[in-house]
Amino acid sequence: MRKIKVAIIGAGQIAQTTHIPAFKSMENVEIVGVSDTYENVAGKVAKDFDIPFSCSSHLELLEKCNPDAVSVCVPNKFHYPIVMDALDRGCHVMCEKPPAISYSQAKEMADKAKSKGLILTYDFHFRHGTNVAILKDLIENGKMGQIYYTKVQWLRKAGVPGWGNFISKDMQGGGPLIDIGAHMLDIALYLLDYKKVSYVSAISSNLIGTKQSNGLMGSWNPEKYTVEDGLFGNIVFEDGTGIGIETTFALNMKEKDVRAVKVYGDELGASLFPLEIYSGSNRNYQAVNYPYISDGDLHNKALENFIDAIEGKEEVLVKAGEGAYIQMIIEALYKSAEKKEPVFL
Ligand SMILES: NC(=O)c1ccc[n+]([C@@H]2O[C@H](COP(=O)([O-])OP(=O)(O)OC[C@H]3O[C@@H](n4cnc5c(N)ncnc54)[C@H](O)[C@@H]3O)[C@@H](O)[C@H]2O)c1
């Protein structure tokens, strides 16, 4: 059996904890090399995971290893140039989320993948959950009725990431919206089948990250904190329905971490994490709990889906064009918060 040759670009936290172990566990995949700007990091990871080649330049990696596919695990700012280079050299690409730092970049990436006939997908791993699939099925079969409002939240009480570049707007393109809220927004847009957006409005804050210096996920330099610590917005579709989004790295609230996707239809309502379906009327709302369905490791599912798609066994669940769509909405929410006015799309 010919194995699929995969190279890893960026050897930090997500590469070490998810991409490399997942690919290592697949019989039909061979990791042929790894690169990181810091050669010593690439070298150590190659040694730790028994990867035969390491270097500091992704171009050298692509040239010397000639991989069939790459995983792009670098800070957001570098997704676009590295994905474009990999596509230009004929590689299928799994890129970490978010797709890029601007809509124009994400659109160009999707267009290039399409024109080259290559797979480009993103690690929006929550979308691979079985519970998401069940809810999608209920919506498509009309069981929920007409969905008129969806609420998405990823709120962290004191969850500014203390590692990497997550407090740098230049490197990441933003804070909690582009980093964690994007996961919940991705699920909602998928459930609602990428309806056409009319306009968005948002407010954002950066009063806590610029003042405090440590929290539950490590410490940071408040003087270098250039991203929002909270964004609160609305996305209004052309049919008059909408999504409310709330996402924070830091918020003076009771809970440590709140993750939610809540879908309200005129027949049933539902929420994820865990999946519950609500029916009834007036004060008699009743939660219908689905038996707990283990989702397994969703990063593994996303990476398996990528490899299966390369082998022609199935389609990728997260398509490149959908990545461009979410990037368009993220950009519009940031623009609205900055300009303090609605942004029409
Ligand atoms: N899907 C998820 O839930 C999830 C979780 C964590 C991180 N991520 C994403 O993964 C990406 C990386 O995050 P991380 O937590 O691993 O960060 P990290 O800082 O731990 O690792 C990034 C690595 O990339 C290297 N790097 C920087 N520029 C490079 C370049 N041009 N070429 C090669 N290597 C380069 C850095 O030296 C570093 O080792 C980000 O886009 C982040 O949003 C996704």
Side-chain angles (χ1 to χ4, degrees):
M1 176 184 62
R2 183 188 177 276
K3 293 192 177 190
I4 294 174
K5 293 196 286 174
V6 173
I8 310 290
I9 302 175
Q13 182 264 139
I14 198 76
Q16 294 180 46
T17 58
T18 67
H19 291 241
I20 296 175
F23 287 133
K24 280 263 158 193
S25 73
M26 297 179 202
E27 279 182 355
N28 51 347
V29 172
E30 177 189 3
I31 304 184
V32 289
V34 55
S35 76
D36 194 286
T37 325
Y38 296 100
E39 199 161 357
N40 60 326
V41 173
K44 180 166 187 325
V45 168
K47 190 160 172 265
D48 289 351
F49 290 92
D50 198 19
I51 297 170
F53 180 81
S54 66
C55 64
S56 61
S57 149
H58 71 278
L59 292 174
E60 184 185 344
L61 178 77
L62 294 171
E63 196 187 311
K64 296 227 168 108
C65 295
N66 194 24
D68 303 304
V70 298
S71 257
V72 177
C73 303
V74 298
N76 302 350
K77 180 179 183 172
F78 306 115
H79 289 186
Y80 167 77
I82 291 176
V83 168
M84 295 298 270
D85 284 342
L87 291 170
D88 273 332
R89 279 155 188 80
C91 299
H92 300 292
V93 180
M94 158 59 80
C95 179
E96 260 308 334
K97 49 52 60 179
I101 56 171
S102 73
Y103 169 57
S104 63
Q105 289 181 345
K107 173 88 172 60
E108 248 189 88
M109 289 152 73
D111 288 347
K112 179 162 298 258
K114 192 171 175 196
S115 74
K116 295 240 167 204
L118 292 165
I119 293 165
L120 167 60
T121 188
Y122 299 105
D123 187 22
F124 279 116
H125 61 284
F126 285 95
R127 210 200 288 183
H128 291 264
T130 313
N131 293 319
V132 173
I134 293 169
L135 184 51
K136 172 95 171 149
D137 205 44
L138 287 170
I139 293 171
E140 283 183 353
N141 288 318
K143 296 274 179 2
M144 310 289 297
Q146 194 186 337
I147 310 294
Y148 51 91
Y149 184 61
T150 302
K151 175 97 175 170
V152 298
Q153 292 176 311
W154 193 335
L155 303 169
R156 285 190 193 145
K157 178 188 182 75
V160 175
W163 73 94
N165 303 287
F166 293 89
I167 63 167
S168 162
K169 186 162 184 182
D170 174 52
M171 291 295 255
Q172 296 296 106
L177 172 62
I178 205 165
D179 188 41
I180 53 176
H183 277 299
M184 302 298 113
L185 185 56
D186 175 69
I187 294 174
L189 294 172
Y190 172 63
L191 292 174
L192 300 175
D193 215 12
Y194 303 93
K195 282 202 266 188
K196 190 138 180 22
V197 176
S198 171
Y199 68 94
V200 310
S201 65
I203 59 165
S204 70
S205 56
N206 71 345
L207 299 169
I208 301 177
T210 51
K211 181 165 66 178
Q212 295 181 356
S213 59
N214 60 68
L216 300 171
M217 293 175 67
S219 54
W220 66 94
N221 180 349
E223 283 171 20
K224 294 197 171 159
Y225 192 95
T226 51
V227 299
E228 84 280 7
D229 48 39
L231 184 135
F232 311 87
N234 290 300
I235 298 154
V236 179
F237 296 107
E238 281 186 341
D239 65 3
T241 66
I243 297 176
I245 179 165
E246 298 179 350
T247 181
T248 63
F249 276 165
L251 183 69
N252 290 320
M253 64 175 188
K254 182 178 172 189
E255 304 87 348
K256 198 172 123 190
D257 189 281
V258 174
R259 241 187 284 155
V261 175
K262 296 178 180 172
V263 176
Y264 299 100
D266 60 345
E267 293 292 335
L268 294 170
S271 60
L272 287 168
F273 317 117
L275 177 61
E276 290 178 347
I277 309 293
Y278 302 98
S279 62
S281 60
N282 297 330
R283 278 169 292 152
N284 277 332
Y285 271 80
Q286 197 183 358
V288 182
N289 272 298
Y290 273 74
Y292 176 72
I293 296 168
S294 169
D295 276 328
D297 187 307
L298 296 180
H299 286 290
N300 280 6
K301 277 196 178 180
L303 293 162
E304 275 163 16
N305 175 232
F306 176 52
I307 296 298
D308 284 349
I310 293 172
E311 291 191 324
K313 292 182 190 156
E314 61 187 25
E315 277 191 20
V316 278
L317 182 67
V318 179
K319 302 189 173 53
E322 296 164 359
Y325 182 98
I326 191 172
Q327 199 83 48
M328 174 182 75
I329 295 174
I330 287 170
E331 186 170 293
L333 286 164
Y334 278 135
K335 197 166 162 196
S336 170
E338 189 191 326
K339 293 194 171 258
K340 302 184 177 65
E341 61 188 30
V343 169
F344 288 83
L345 293 170

